[in-house]
């Protein structure tokens, strides 16, 4: 629904010309997006952090071959963008002159909820900044109470209705109420809290930093770790282009951290791979703390992604647990990568 409204109906209703590319960004080479922007004079480029990280892997030389001077605005959507990807996007594609709108929203919200206003809102790499005018968000703890203090971390909730919100689930209104409004009690003033299902951090300036889905939070020896935190730490290493982190059961720690890593350049093997894995574990420990050290790091040529660029984390969870893959992989852009990640190719 949001694909239709934001890619087709909305832009056309505003008199815009829309260019849609159906395909992967690395075929026939990693300059595919930039050639399209050059040849068709694209002015606004909107893509997912997953695509940005995949293109980072190819370096700066390829995008620098193309004339991107017609671009005036860059956008990011679909998942939290880590600061390293944001900076690469800003520096290499935006030439340090274009605003980046890092947008947070959901299919259920029907429209963007948090985003900088380009040219007006000071941005911070990795933050979707603040709710748009007329929208109201908060950060609450496990009891639904607002988290106070200069920095707040917890569950992201929306506290007031908005025009494009979902009204129900067809044929199952009870499920609608339970799913989106049932986690926390109604506030004394009658406020129902819409639960986004994302964990977030709000800094001293009131800027929101989306940490990922609440079910992507790992409990390692009693410590709560966001998978996004560990992924960002891994990607901050100069050898890493992309990373995805999931948990798997651990008899002592409760959950173990399992990381799938895509390297820049040729994937190392043998002793070189072992040395890099050790280096990455120490790097994460330095960036976050020893508790966040991945128990298992697997180097691979790619991640299981849908054709729209979303990482299929449920597949990674199954692979991390050593389970037989019985799920449908027909929607994957690269189904062969599953066997490699599982150590069968």
């Amino acid at each position: 629904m949001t694909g239709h409204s934001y890619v087709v109906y909305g832009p056309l209703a505003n008199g815009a010309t829309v260019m849609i590319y159906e395909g992967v960004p690395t075929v026939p080479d990693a300059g595919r997006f930039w050639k399209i922007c050059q040849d068709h004079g694209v002015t606004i480029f909107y893509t997912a952090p997953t695509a940005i990280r995949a293109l980072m892997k190819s370096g700066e030389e390829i995008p620098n071959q193309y004339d991107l001077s017609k671009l005036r605005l860059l956008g990011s959507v679909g998942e939290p963008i880590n600061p390293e990807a944001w900076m690469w996007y800003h520096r290499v594609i935006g030439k340090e002159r274009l605003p980046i709108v890092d947008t947070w929203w959901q299919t259920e919200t029907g429209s963007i909820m948090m985003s900088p206003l380009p040219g007006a809102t000071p941005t911070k790499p990795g933050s979707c900044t603040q709710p748009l005018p007329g929208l109201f968000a908060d950060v609450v703890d496990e009891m639904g109470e607002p988290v106070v203090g200069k920095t707040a971390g917890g569950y992201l909730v929306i506290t007031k209705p908005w025009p494009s919100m979902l009204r129900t689930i067809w044929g199952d209104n009870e499920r609608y109420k339970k799913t989106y409004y049932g986690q926390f009690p109604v506030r004394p003033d009658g406020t129902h809290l819409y639960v986004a299902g994302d964990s977030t951090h709000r800094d001293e300036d009131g800027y929101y930093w989306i940490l990922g889905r609440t079910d992507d939070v790992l409990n390692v020896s009693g410590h709560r770790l966001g998978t996004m935190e560990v992924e960002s730490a891994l990607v901050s290493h100069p050898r890493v282009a992309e990373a995805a982190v999931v948990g798997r059961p651990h008899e002592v720690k409760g959950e173990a951290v399992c990381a799938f890593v895509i390297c820049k350049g040729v994937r190392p093997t043998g002793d070189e791979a072992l040395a890099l894995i050790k280096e990455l574990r120490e790097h994460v420990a330095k960036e976050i703390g020893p508790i966040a050290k991945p128990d298992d790091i697997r180097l691979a040529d790619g991640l299981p992604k849908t054709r729209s660029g979303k990482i299929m984390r449920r597949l990674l969870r199954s692979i991390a647990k050593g389970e037989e893959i019985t799920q449908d992989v027909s929607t994957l852009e690269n189904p062969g990568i599953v066997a490699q990640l599982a150590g069968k190719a």
Side-chain angles (χ1 to χ4, degrees), residues 297-312:
I297 295 180
R298 304 188 190 188
L299 307 180
D301 296 323
L303 297 171
K305 298 176 186 176
T306 64
R307 292 179 180 87
S308 63
K310 286 286 186 83
I311 298 171
M312 294 188 70

Side-chain angles (χ1 to χ4, degrees), residues 106-109 156-159 162 165-170 172-185 192-198 213:
Q106 300 175 307
T107 299
E108 296 94 328
T109 67
L156 175 61
V157 295
I158 309 299
T159 60
W162 64 99
M165 65 187 290
L166 76 167
R167 268 60 167 180
T168 188
I169 292 175
W170 179 260
D172 197 346
N173 195 56
E174 285 304 312
R175 180 185 173 196
Y176 161 74
K177 291 190 290 185
K178 180 180 179 182
T179 300
Y180 298 105
Y181 298 94
Q183 184 170 346
F184 302 119
H192 290 71
L193 299 178
Y194 170 86
V195 181
D198 284 330
R213 302 297 292 169

